[in-house]
């Protein structure tokens, strides 16, 4: 049953749990710790390159897996089970960072890549459960609620981890190691937090049932791969979906790259770790109300227009990042990112549900996440290579502007009404195919 309070809250609490990885690990402590502890004193250009490479490898793996896993989940009713598998993979690998010692940057990257695969893989199935939790009337609100709880949940744990880092003795941790023990303990706490807040979804969110019943795993794989090939061919009839995915591919690339590389960029500019951490906290707590408010803003001016506003804002943020000189500038950009980050992510997800066949949401969210992750391959590499070629991190952040420009232009070509008509034709054709009709 859709729109139940228990189902919505249980679904959204997964975002509360796994966002700790995005904040404490991905955006916060891993870039700082990688540069100061694991990389063995390498220069900022080198650490930026290796960090970007790690993010790109993780994104490539999940990009290749996402559409196949989505197809399997649609046919075998394995969405929840696969979500739990990837969630606990991510949690275990995050906990493994506790064991990585100074100078072991290769091992740190391996654990990080595996944890990021768990994080991204879990999100594929988390997103695909959204249409079964919320009706179209409430889907924008519920999508925004997930991101909002993610920001506040991840932000609260990150705040605690920051206090541990800044005042380790208060928490019974050694204070003479530069905060290394506090950060390693924080990684372990993220793993526990992520695992615990996966439990409500496991218990109270129902697996969507397929009309023809669930298939076995082997049959699901064979059928899913066949349908994946069919979808690649028939997506030509879903022109609106294709245009949106290309737009999303570009603009979310820039968004994800800024999320993952902002702290490394601030470090390269010489800002102290404490200032970078404060900026991340600002982003989290601004993003909490902003994600909910942006769903209202989308209803006020239209979802597509609201997305275009956010894309334009990110383009401005990239340009401002190029000219950033002082710590106060970093705080201002943190506020701006917080205002638009949750909105662009939540509305992209809910807008996509309006354009795809609901009967195969996991498979189409596989495409959605695949393109998002392929984009996340290009973004960090674009920023990293631009930095290496120019020898200046500022040109790396500036290079992201082109992605927002292309994404915005493509999004203006998306026609939602035409998309609904294409979906109706697609589903009718798919139903005849399943019945063996021509």
């Amino acid at each position: 049953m859709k729109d139940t309070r228990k189902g919505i809250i249980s679904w959204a609490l997964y975002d509360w749990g796994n966002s700790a990885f995005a904040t404490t690990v991905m955006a916060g402590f891993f870039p700082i710790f990688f540069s100061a502890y694991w990389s063995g004193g390498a220069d900022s250009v080198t650490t930026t390159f290796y960090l970007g490479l790690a993010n790109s490898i993780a994104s490539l793996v999940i990009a290749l897996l996402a559409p196949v896993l989505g197809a399997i989940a649609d046919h075998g009713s394995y969405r929840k089970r696969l979500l739990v598998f990837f969630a606990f993979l991510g949690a275990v690998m995050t906990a493994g960072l506790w064991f990585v010692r100074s100078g072991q940057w290769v091992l740190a990257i391996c654990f990080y890549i595996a944890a990021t695969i768990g994080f991204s893989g879990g999100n594929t199935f988390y997103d695909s459960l959204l249409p079964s939790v919320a009706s179209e009337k409430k889907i924008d609100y519920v999508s925004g609620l997930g991101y909002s709880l993610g920001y506040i949940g991840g932000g609260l744990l990150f705040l605690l981890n920051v206090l541990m880092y800044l005042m380790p003795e208060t928490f019974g941790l050694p204070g003479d190691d530069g905060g290394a023990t506090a950060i390693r303990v924080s990684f372990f706490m993220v793993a526990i937090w992520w695992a615990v807040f996966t439990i409500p979804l496991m218990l109270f969110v129902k697996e969507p049932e397929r009309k023809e019943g669930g298939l076995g795993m082997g049959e699901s794989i064979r059928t899913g791969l066949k349908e994946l090939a069919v979808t690649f061919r028939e997506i030509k009839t879903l022109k609106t979906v294709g245009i949106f995915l290309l737009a999303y591919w570009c603009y979310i690339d820039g968004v994800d790259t800024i999320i993952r590389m902002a702290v490394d960029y601030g470090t390269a500019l010489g800002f102290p770790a404490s200032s970078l951490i404060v900026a991340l906290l600002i982003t989290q707590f601004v993003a909490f109300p902003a994600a909910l408010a942006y769903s209202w803003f989308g209803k006020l001016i239209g979802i597509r227009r609201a997305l275009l506003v956010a894309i334009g804002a990110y383009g401005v943020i990239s340009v401002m990042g190029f000219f950033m000189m002082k710590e106060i500038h970093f705080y201002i950009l943190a506020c701006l990112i917080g205002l638009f980050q949750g909105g662009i992510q939540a509305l992209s997800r809910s807008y996509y549900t309006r354009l795809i066949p609901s009967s195969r949401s996991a498979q189409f969210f596989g495409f959605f996440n695949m393109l998002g992750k392929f984009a996340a391959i290009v973004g960090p590499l674009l920023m990293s290579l631009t930095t290496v070629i120019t020898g200046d991190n500022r040109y790396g952040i500036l290079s992201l502007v082109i992605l927002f420009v292309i994404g915005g232009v493509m999004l203006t070509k998306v026609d939602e009404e035409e998309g609904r008509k294409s979906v109706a034709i697609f589903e009718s054709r798919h139903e005849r195919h399943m019945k063996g009709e021509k």
Side-chain angles (χ1 to χ4, degrees):
M1 183 180 297
K2 297 183 180 181
D3 295 343
T4 64
R5 181 179 180 84
K6 183 184 291 185
I8 288 172
I9 292 175
S10 298
W11 179 84
L13 279 176
Y14 179 76
D15 217 326
W16 172 289
N18 83 333
S19 290
F21 176 80
T23 52
T24 295
V25 182
M26 187 181 292
F29 285 154
F30 188 87
I32 292 172
F33 213 47
F34 184 76
S35 176
Y37 187 74
W38 284 322
S39 67
D43 61 85
S44 64
V45 171
T46 301
T47 57
T48 294
F49 176 77
Y50 282 128
L51 185 61
L53 183 63
N55 280 309
S56 295
I57 292 172
S59 298
L60 175 61
V61 173
I62 198 61
L64 295 174
L65 288 176
V68 176
L69 292 174
I72 293 169
D74 270 335
H75 285 279
S77 295
Y78 296 117
R79 297 182 199 188
K80 280 179 58 178
R81 276 175 279 184
L82 287 170
L83 184 153
V84 170
F85 168 78
F86 279 103
F88 282 93
L89 169 66
V92 170
M93 293 298 104
T94 301
L97 291 171
W98 159 268
F99 300 100
V100 183
R101 301 299 178 181
S102 177
Q104 296 179 324
W105 64 271
V106 175
L107 185 59
I109 282 180
C110 289
F111 275 116
Y112 178 73
I113 288 173
T116 303
I117 289 170
F119 175 77
S120 300
N123 280 342
T124 297
F125 301 104
Y126 174 67
D127 290 344
S128 73
L129 288 169
L130 176 57
S132 66
V133 171
S135 64
E136 184 171 337
K137 182 179 179 180
K138 297 190 70 173
I139 203 163
D140 293 323
Y141 165 76
V142 174
S143 182
L145 177 66
Y147 277 108
S148 293
L149 288 184
Y151 286 124
I152 194 69
L156 285 173
L157 184 62
F158 188 43
L159 175 59
L160 176 60
N161 295 149
V162 169
L163 293 175
M164 291 166 52
Y165 173 69
L166 297 177
M167 302 179 294
E169 293 92 345
T170 304
F171 295 88
L173 300 172
D176 57 355
D177 61 355
T181 301
I183 291 178
R184 291 168 59 222
V185 170
S186 296
F187 292 148
F188 201 80
M189 291 175 65
V190 167
I192 296 172
W193 184 275
W194 188 352
V196 167
F197 287 104
T198 301
I199 294 173
L201 184 146
M202 294 167 58
L203 296 177
F204 303 118
V205 174
K206 292 185 177 181
E207 178 77 44
E209 295 182 4
R210 290 187 53 80
K211 294 179 181 179
E212 68 269 26
L215 302 177
M217 178 63 79
E219 186 63 25
S220 294
I221 294 173
R222 288 189 292 272
T223 305
L225 291 174
K226 289 178 182 177
E227 290 255 334
L228 182 61
V230 171
T231 303
F232 267 118
R233 293 195 300 268
E234 293 196 350
I235 203 168
K236 295 177 182 178
T237 68
L238 298 172
K239 182 180 178 181
T240 303
V241 175
I243 294 173
F244 174 77
L245 287 175
L246 288 175
Y248 176 77
W249 184 354
C250 293
Y251 71 73
I252 209 65
D253 178 359
V255 172
D256 284 347
T257 302
I258 287 175
I259 292 171
R260 298 184 184 198
M261 304 295 287
V263 167
D264 180 80
Y265 180 61
T267 301
L269 295 183
F271 298 154
S274 57
S275 297
L276 302 178
I277 290 169
V278 169
L280 286 174
L281 286 171
I282 290 172
T283 298
Q284 290 302 115
F285 290 106
V286 170
F288 165 56
L292 285 177
Y294 217 79
S295 66
W296 168 83
F297 181 63
K299 290 182 179 179
L300 184 67
I301 70 170
I303 303 300
R304 189 179 68 165
R305 289 193 184 96
L307 285 172
L308 288 170
V309 169
I311 292 169
Y314 263 99
V316 172
I317 287 169
S318 299
V319 174
M320 292 175 66
F322 177 79
F323 293 103
M324 183 166 56
M325 300 292 294
K326 302 177 181 178
E327 291 174 39
I328 186 63
H329 297 158
F330 202 78
Y331 296 148
I332 293 171
L333 289 183
C335 289
L336 292 175
I337 291 171
L339 286 174
F340 296 101
Q341 182 172 297
I344 198 170
Q345 292 172 321
L347 290 187
S348 294
R349 180 169 62 188
S350 62
Y351 190 61
Y352 186 62
T353 64
R354 293 175 165 84
L355 306 176
I356 62 173
S358 59
S359 61
R360 288 200 281 170
S361 61
Q363 185 168 332
F364 275 83
F365 265 108
F367 277 91
F368 182 74
N369 284 284
M370 176 188 72
L371 289 182
K373 301 316 168 191
F374 266 126
I377 298 167
V378 176
L381 276 181
L382 174 63
M383 184 173 174
S384 301
L385 291 175
T386 303
T387 298
V388 170
I389 291 170
T390 63
D392 189 340
N393 295 73
R394 295 182 183 277
Y395 287 101
I397 196 75
L398 187 63
S399 68
L400 301 179
V401 172
I402 191 171
L403 300 174
F404 296 117
V405 171
I406 296 173
V409 171
M410 293 295 296
L411 188 61
T412 62
K413 301 181 183 297
V414 174
D415 186 334
E416 185 177 340
E417 187 59 36
E418 183 64 29
R420 291 179 185 274
K421 295 177 182 177
S422 298
V423 165
I425 295 172
F426 181 91
E427 289 190 315
S428 175
R429 184 177 300 174
H430 175 63
E431 185 176 351
R432 292 198 303 271
H433 171 73
M434 294 300 294
K435 291 179 179 179
E437 300 175 6
K438 294 183 178 181

